[in-house]
Structure formats: C-alpha cells, structure tokens
Amino acid sequence: MQYLQDVLNQVKEANANEPEFFQAVEEVFHSLEQVVQDGSDFQKQAILERLVEPERQIIFRVPWHDDKGNLRVNRGYRVEFSSSLGPYKGGLRFHPSVNLSVIKFLGFEQVLKNALTGLPLGGAKGGSDFDPKGKSDNEIMRFCQSFMTELYRHIGENTDVPAGDIGVAGREISYLFGQYKRITNQFQGVLTGKPEIMAGSALRTEATGYGVAYFLSAMLDAKNDSLRGKRCLVSGAGNVALYLMEKLAQHDAVVLTCSDSQGTLYCKEGLDVELVKHLKQEKGAKLRDYLNEHPDAEFTPVNQYPSDAHQVWQYEADIALPCATQNEITQKDAKALVSNGCMTVCEGANMPTTADALAVFKEHDVYLGPSKAANAGGVATSQFEMAQNASMQKWRPQQVDEKLQQVMKEIFDRVSSTAKQYDHEGDLLLGANVTGFERVSQAMIKQGAV
C-alpha cells in the first residue's frame, strides 16, 4: 500500500540515526497491508503518522557523585509514546547501550504489547546509559535519586507509571520510589516492580519469565503438543531467563543452555536450573562457575563465538527462547536453529530477532511467538500491582498467578484468532501486530486529533 510505504519513508528520513526504532516500525507495518488501505479512515485521520510519533520525548542530564567524590554525568530518557488506552506504562532500562533509538523502539513495541493485554494501559519506555555493573549500592542510590529528581515531574499514578527493565530491579526501583516519595510527600503507585514490603505485587519479579512459559504452553496446546521432554535453548541469565527456566523445568522440559555477558553454558543432559538460579541471584556469580559443580557441562566464552552468531543457538533442540536483548538472533543463527531441528521460537526479550532472521523463520515455517505477545506477562502483572495499590489491597501469589495465566492465554487466543481472520493462520507475529494496532487505532479515532 502506498500510504504505508509513504509513512515508512517518512519515519526513515525523520529518524535516520535510529535503526532499532525504524526496524520495529517496519516490522509492524509489514503486517498491516491487509488492514490499512489507501484512502481509508486510517489515512484520512493520519493514524500511522500519529502512531509512530511519540506524544512526548524527555531527555535530561543526570549528575551524580561516585564513591571517590567525582561528579559523573549520564543521560536520562523517558519517551511517552501513547496514552490512547490508558496511562503511559513501560520500563526503565539502565545499560550502556541505551540511546534514543533503543528507547523509542522499546516504547513503540510497548504500545502494542500493552494493547494486547486488554488492560487500560498506554505505552512508554525510559532509562539511561548508566551501567549499574561494578557500582556500589551507594553509587546506584545516588544515581537513582538524581534520575528521579527530574523524572518525577513527568510521571504519576494516572499519568505515567514506570517499571523495571534491564539493569533496573528491586533495588533500583526502591531507590527511585524513595526519592519520588521524598519529593512529592506521597506514597502512591507511581512505580511498579516494588518490593512487597513497599506495596509491590507478589510474583512481579517472576512474571515476565512465567508469562513466556504460559504463552509457549498455549502455542503448543494449539498444536496438541506440550512442553514435556522438549529440549529448550534459553539465552540470558536475568530474571526473564531464570524464571522461564524454572517454569520450563516444572513442566518437564529440558533446559540445555543459558548465557551471560561472559559466554554460553550448555549441558546436553539438561542444566541444573536451581543451581543456575543460586549462582546468579544469590551469589552474583558468573555462569562459568557452574562448572565447579558440574564439570560435564560446557562453557563457551564470548571470544570463541562463531562470527556474526551467538553460541547459544548452535545446538540441537526443539524450542529456542531468546531472553537477553534485541537482535540477538541473526540470520546465521536462524539458519543454525532450523538446521538443528528447532522449529519453535518464543521470544522473551524485546525484538530479539533480526529482520533477516525472521525471513529465514518464515521461509521454513518456524512457529514464532512474538515478544510483544509472549513477554507481556511483566506489564500485565504491573497492572495488577497498580490495581492493588489503587484499592490498597494485597493479592495472594496464587491469585496473581491465576490472573497471569488467564491474561497470557487470552493474548494467545486474540493473536491466533486475528491471524486466522486475515488468512494467515499460525502467523502469530502478524496476529499480534494487527490486534494491537486495531485496538490502539480505534481509541485514537474516537479521541479525535490529539
């Protein structure tokens, strides 16, 4: 469609130095060819032009003192993309790779992801190029306090409710919340992912990983299959990966791999998931240390990875579960997965598959669970936390887990039904993009030119 292509060209020209953002937009637009027709109401009301332009972009300086008394400076971001369906909602990422392109791609994805949940949530994302690794607790506290001293002006329980992401877990959320409360003199649900002692929700830490497992289970159920005995490749070793691995093990799947910034851990007979969790969460150790107790496992350091590929995807398996970061599955990785018999991929990270890799999967009919659907469990449980805060209630872990399972099953049903409606049965990526777009665009049309 000419309208789609014209807007895509405008996005590329206006955001020439933002490749991740353009990649995210292009992927969605390719799914909308049957939905957005030239001369339609979407074109007359400039829905696509408004969809790709954030409602607000905030960039600010974050000065803080390190433990030696030196003044350090980082850059902070909050991109409030869309409030069509509810208050802005999306995480904060603290990582050296953070830039405007990354934050905008994450925010754009978040809009559609939040729409898929059926919950009243808009989409946003934020963060900083600050690296928490190697920093003391006091340095992280001072940074978070400085970051919130600017951010507090732009957020609120009915305006914008940030959460955690890479580099932002319970510790960072606690420092951010403490500073918000200090400045505003209000104890309110303005951040999610808080520790339970601070009105956080049960299972919020586990929610994204658990949600990926529940979505994957729904994918397999639709094929009259199950997780039992499935050989799974998992990347990453953060909360998403660890709690996904935990749930996979509970469903009698075999977890073969995980990875961290140092390299990839592999065991043909299956990893001891509880030991991996102990090493990463309780000891803060490297995955390489797993070999001290299981010398039969293999560890491949990053400098021995294949060129333009990730070691974690080079093994025979049934299911691949990328849970590390964007664009971690390259075209070469996708070909290796297909060659090794892996015909199901479920994305735990945001946009972890490159466009070239997606083309390989499509060519070989790989069953793909897209990230904006599969990893929506985190934001769904964040909304549960918002609801608990607003009503001053506390839900039991079992209640939260039951609601999470229900939301993930409903998301699968929605995207699967939409794919079938548009004669692309089984194409969950198209189903997710179209379902999210239709819900957001309907709200935009009803609200007028805002």
Side-chain angles (χ1 to χ4, degrees):
M1 297 296 130
Q2 190 60 46
Y3 173 44
L4 278 167
Q5 190 57 53
D6 287 347
V7 177
L8 196 58
N9 291 340
Q10 293 170 20
V11 172
K12 190 170 187 177
E13 182 178 354
N15 306 276
N17 297 314
E18 299 172 2
E20 294 88 355
F21 175 55
F22 180 75
Q23 178 186 343
V25 173
E26 185 175 38
E27 178 211 283
V28 171
F29 277 26
H30 283 171
S31 297
L32 300 181
E33 292 180 357
Q34 292 176 258
V35 183
V36 178
Q37 305 294 323
D38 292 341
S40 65
D41 282 347
F42 295 126
Q43 182 172 7
K44 293 174 183 176
Q45 300 203 38
I47 292 298
L48 293 182
E49 291 91 333
R50 287 194 278 159
L51 183 70
V52 299
E53 189 65 35
E55 293 177 11
R56 190 175 296 109
Q57 301 182 62
I58 303 147
I59 303 176
F60 53 96
R61 182 176 63 203
V62 187
W64 58 281
H65 283 99
D66 65 23
D67 287 341
K68 295 180 180 180
N70 298 315
L71 185 63
R72 309 276 288 275
V73 179
N74 287 94
R75 181 174 289 179
Y77 302 89
R78 188 65 179 173
V79 175
E80 296 173 332
F81 229 102
S82 172
S83 59
S84 295
L85 295 174
Y88 305 111
K89 188 81 189 78
L92 297 170
R93 176 176 295 191
F94 292 170
H95 192 272
S97 65
V98 166
N99 56 40
L100 187 58
S101 178
V102 168
I103 295 299
K104 285 177 67 176
F105 115 68
L106 290 168
F108 180 74
E109 291 271 296
Q110 197 77 43
V111 173
L112 300 181
K113 179 191 303 185
N114 293 359
L116 291 178
T117 68
L119 300 169
L121 298 170
K125 208 74 178 186
S128 173
D129 55 2
F130 172 78
D131 188 358
K133 286 188 177 180
K135 305 294 193 304
S136 70
D137 284 352
N138 281 332
E139 287 176 322
I140 291 171
M141 179 182 70
R142 287 191 289 269
F143 173 82
C144 289
Q145 289 176 341
S146 181
F147 185 89
M148 182 54 75
T149 298
E150 175 59 36
L151 185 66
Y152 90 95
R153 312 169 196 277
H154 312 289
I155 62 177
E157 60 183 343
N158 295 309
T159 303
D160 184 354
V161 185
D165 195 84
I166 294 173
V168 180
R171 173 183 56 180
E172 290 76 18
I173 291 291
S174 297
Y175 291 148
L176 291 164
F177 181 75
Q179 184 71 354
Y180 180 87
K181 181 168 63 71
R182 181 186 192 183
I183 294 171
T184 65
N185 195 33
Q186 295 191 56
F187 195 114
Q188 57 181 216
V190 70
L191 289 164
T192 57
K194 302 184 295 296
E196 290 190 56
I197 193 66
M198 294 163 54
S201 175
L203 298 188
R204 177 58 189 90
T205 302
E206 298 90 339
T208 306
Y210 281 10
V212 175
Y214 297 148
F215 189 88
L216 175 59
S217 292
M219 290 174 62
L220 296 175
D221 285 344
K223 301 282 188 180
N224 295 315
D225 203 351
S226 73
L227 280 167
R228 182 181 293 274
K230 293 294 187 295
R231 300 165 300 162
C232 299
L233 304 177
V234 178
S235 67
N239 283 340
V240 179
L242 293 176
Y243 288 109
L244 168 59
M245 291 163 63
E246 176 182 282
K247 194 57 70 173
L248 291 173
Q250 290 175 7
H251 284 78
D252 297 320
V254 182
V255 179
L256 302 179
T257 65
C258 59
S259 61
D260 61 13
S261 60
Q262 305 297 309
T264 293
L265 183 66
Y266 167 74
C267 181
K268 185 177 182 180
E269 305 304 319
L271 295 171
D272 181 342
V273 172
E274 287 305 311
L275 177 58
V276 174
K277 284 181 61 186
H278 174 73
L279 289 172
K280 298 304 292 186
Q281 292 186 320
E282 297 179 31
K283 296 187 68 175
K286 303 297 183 184
L287 286 178
R288 185 192 299 270
D289 296 337
Y290 182 92
L291 302 182
N292 296 334
E293 296 192 38
H294 290 278
D296 55 316
E298 301 173 15
F299 184 82
T300 305
V302 171
N303 60 12
Q304 294 180 21
Y305 281 10
S307 175
D308 194 31
H310 195 306
Q311 182 63 33
V312 78
W313 312 124
Q314 308 307 309
Y315 305 102
E316 291 186 4
D318 303 300
I319 301 172
L321 297 141
C323 297
T325 191
Q326 66 267 14
N327 290 327
E328 59 175 295
I329 296 182
T330 65
Q331 182 183 51
K332 189 172 180 180
D333 290 324
K335 290 179 178 179
L337 287 168
V338 170
S339 296
N340 285 323
C342 181
M343 297 300 290
T344 300
V345 177
C346 191
E347 299 177 334
N350 292 301
M351 201 174 71
T353 309
T354 66
D356 289 340
L358 284 174
V360 172
F361 290 156
K362 189 168 186 177
E363 178 186 353
H364 293 276
D365 295 321
V366 171
Y367 193 26
L368 177 73
S371 58
K372 60 174 64 72
N375 77 2
V379 73
T381 307
S382 280
Q383 197 276 342
F384 302 162
E385 184 173 334
M386 293 167 65
Q388 291 171 75
N389 291 170
S391 61
M392 299 188 72
Q393 294 181 358
K394 179 70 176 174
W395 298 351
R396 298 187 309 275
Q398 183 180 356
Q399 288 177 276
V400 177
D401 196 38
E402 288 173 354
K403 289 177 181 292
L404 175 60
Q405 291 184 55
Q406 179 181 352
V407 167
M408 298 312 297
K409 179 64 167 62
E410 289 173 352
I411 291 174
F412 174 80
D413 289 344
R414 287 189 190 104
V415 302
S416 181
S417 176
T418 299
K420 187 175 182 179
Q421 176 188 340
Y422 284 91
D423 297 321
H424 287 270
E425 187 169 2
D427 188 342
L428 303 183
L429 177 59
L430 180 143
N433 288 334
V434 172
T435 301
F437 171 77
E438 287 184 336
R439 188 158 185 257
V440 173
S441 62
Q442 288 168 15
M444 292 172 69
I445 290 171
K446 290 180 182 300
Q447 291 172 25
V450 297

